[in-house]
Amino acid sequence: MVETDASDEKTAVTEKEAAVSEEKAAVPENSRRRIRWAVVAAAVPGIALAVVFGVLWRSAAGDLADERTHDQDRQMALNTATDYTARSLTYDYRNLEAFFEGVDQGASQSLQDRYDGVREALTAIMNESQVVATGEVLSAAIDSESGGEYKVAVFAQQTTQNVQQPDPGKVPNLLLVTVTDQDGQWIVSDYGPKT
């Protein structure tokens, strides 16, 4: 009888282990499902936020790139206007060819034509008066801009001497220089006193 009881106990223990094992197997499956749904429920808003932030970041990056390009264009317009102004205010009657080459450089055809129209008269006046002048740009600012065209206000000083005034004198100049971007090349299309 002792042997039977031991055998029955073993069988009972084995049956209990099997029952516990079945319960453990059933519980984890339900738990796994709950965990999966919890992960999915938590992941969906996270993915949505990631998509929203990605779109916002891309939009902000595009805006920043546009702003940088605009700033670079403004700086190029300023540089073009100031360089041209310094060249146009610098001349020496002993080498007027360099002056006319300088004002043609980076100028539109219509502006070149304007200088060609007065070249003979300017040459005669400068030679007769023995004019020597040096231009210096003191400041410049964008006055207006529209569709790739920039009007730049340039304040410059010209140091001049000639037969009538052998000692150099300084003359202030306030000029308006129109600069346009023509297929990546910055061109001065108009130049004159700012009124």
Side-chain angles (χ1 to χ4, degrees), residues 10 17 21 25 27 37 50 62 76 78 80 96 117 131 138 152 184 194:
K10 263 187 175 176
E17 284 176 355
S21 197
V27 171
W37 281 109
M76 286 300 296
L78 284 168
T80 302
L96 290 175
V131 180
L138 303 175
V152 182
K194 181 167 173 30

Side-chain angles (χ1 to χ4, degrees), residues 61-126:
D63 291 346
L64 180 60
D66 290 346
E67 189 62 33
R68 283 184 179 156
T69 299
H70 184 248
D71 287 346
Q72 288 172 346
D73 287 350
R74 289 173 62 88
Q75 191 58 54
M76 286 300 296
L78 284 168
N79 292 348
T80 302
T82 57
D83 290 348
Y84 191 83
T85 299
R87 284 196 311 272
S88 72
L89 295 176
T90 301
Y91 42 84
D92 187 326
Y93 75 98
R94 293 165 293 210
N95 187 8
L96 290 175
E97 192 59 39
F99 166 71
F100 286 109
E101 285 175 10
V103 292
D104 281 352
Q105 179 187 343
S108 67
Q109 188 60 53
S110 63
L111 187 55
Q112 290 178 31
D113 292 344
R114 274 184 18 206
Y115 275 106
D116 286 344
V118 296
R119 182 178 186 141
E120 195 174 307
L122 277 177
T123 300
I125 292 167
M126 289 181 187

Side-chain angles (χ1 to χ4, degrees), residues 10-50:
K10 263 187 175 176
T11 304
V13 169
T14 305
E15 287 176 9
K16 278 185 182 179
E17 284 176 355
V20 167
S21 197
E22 283 178 22
E23 281 180 31
K24 283 183 181 178
V27 171
E29 184 59 36
N30 288 338
S31 294
R32 276 189 245 145
R33 283 187 188 143
R34 282 188 213 128
I35 290 171
R36 280 188 208 132
W37 281 109
V39 168
V40 168
V44 168
I47 291 170
L49 282 173

